[in-house]
């Protein structure tokens, strides 16, 4: 996972509960308190999972709740950090169609080829007449984050779609399959 995501998670914990809780999360996850995460560097997905799970424990929230709060935080940060992606797309559908490409752009900037490929492999989109079907495969199992971010985009652009998860890694499926359908 790219260090930008860690940075945002630590910022969120600090905003919600204070600096000491960030250190507590790191300790619980077995991460050195002084370890700095560079925004453009790729870090081990196992370590990310320990940090995210420790965050849920320390803030006393479920994974679903943590993903929803993190999505709001991530969305707000993205509108400021990358306004171009938001002005480039005129609808949530357009943005969601572009999302794998946006992510893969990060992979091309990564020096380690294997780490770059791991980012590339996480999302695949199938285009259907009335929407998209997302195939998400990642050891991080953040389908809740995906769906919460998709809802943020719908609010942002003022369009509405039905979101349904038809397969889930957390239920033992080989991928998460998320169907997003816009009314005609
Ligand atoms: C300006 C827009 C966005 C940028 C620049 C961006 C960037 C990133 C980056 C750099 C990562 C870390 C990838 C990795 O290290 O594997 C990430 C993760 C993720 N993003 Fe985005 N993102 C954006 C929008 C979105 C949107 C709109 C969605 C969903 C609708 C989304 C869903 C996710 C998910 C689910 C992950 C976790 C992937 C995993 O590790 O399993 N992102 N994003």
């Amino acid at each position: 996972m790219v260090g930008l995501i860690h940075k945002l998670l630590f910022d969120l914990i600090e905003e919600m509960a204070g600096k000491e809780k960030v250190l507590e999360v790191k300790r619980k996850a077995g991460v050195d308190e002084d370890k700095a995460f560079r925004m453009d560097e790729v870090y081990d997905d196992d370590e990310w999972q320990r940090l995210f799970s420790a965050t849920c424990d320390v803030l006393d929230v479920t994974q679903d709740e943590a993903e929803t709060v993190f999505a709001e935080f991530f969305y707000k940060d993205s509108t400021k950090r990358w306004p171009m992606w938001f002005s480039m797309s005129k609808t949530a559908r357009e943005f969601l169609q572009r999302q794998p490409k946006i992510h893969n752009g990060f992979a091309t900037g990564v020096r380690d080829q294997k780490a770059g490929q791991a980012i590339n492999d996480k999302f695949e989109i199938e285009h259907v007449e009335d929407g998209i079907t997302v195939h998400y495969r990642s050891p991080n199992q953040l389908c809740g984050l995906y769906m919460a971010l998709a809802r943020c985009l719908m609010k942002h652009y003022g369009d509405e779609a039905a979101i349904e998860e038809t397969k889930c890694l957390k239920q033992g499926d080989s991928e998460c399959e998320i169907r997003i359908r816009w009314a005609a």
Side-chain angles (χ1 to χ4, degrees), residues 12-102:
L12 172 66
I13 299 166
E14 186 172 339
E15 192 181 288
M16 283 178 75
K19 246 189 176 108
E20 177 49 39
K21 294 289 180 194
V22 178
L23 299 179
E24 193 180 329
V25 164
K26 284 185 170 175
R27 281 195 298 271
K28 240 181 182 266
V31 174
D32 189 10
E33 281 182 17
D34 298 329
K35 179 167 179 176
F37 288 84
R38 286 176 48 101
M39 298 220 267
D40 54 353
E41 194 84 31
V42 177
Y43 299 88
D44 195 32
D45 275 335
D46 274 357
E47 180 186 63
W48 160 264
Q49 287 155 38
R50 292 199 310 278
L51 282 165
F52 198 66
S53 161
T55 303
C56 295
D57 287 350
V58 169
L59 297 182
D60 193 23
V61 292
T62 63
Q63 169 152 356
D64 261 7
E65 287 164 347
E67 282 171 302
T68 305
V69 179
F70 187 53
E72 282 283 340
F73 195 77
F74 184 49
Y75 156 71
K76 277 195 199 125
D77 179 86
S78 304
T79 54
K80 292 188 211 116
R81 199 181 293 272
W82 296 292
M84 190 195 68
W85 288 118
F86 288 85
S87 53
M88 199 184 239
S89 301
K90 299 290 171 247
T91 59
R93 183 170 179 173
E94 232 186 274
F95 200 119
L96 289 169
Q97 283 171 335
R98 247 187 210 121
Q99 179 262 336
K101 226 184 228 168
I102 297 175

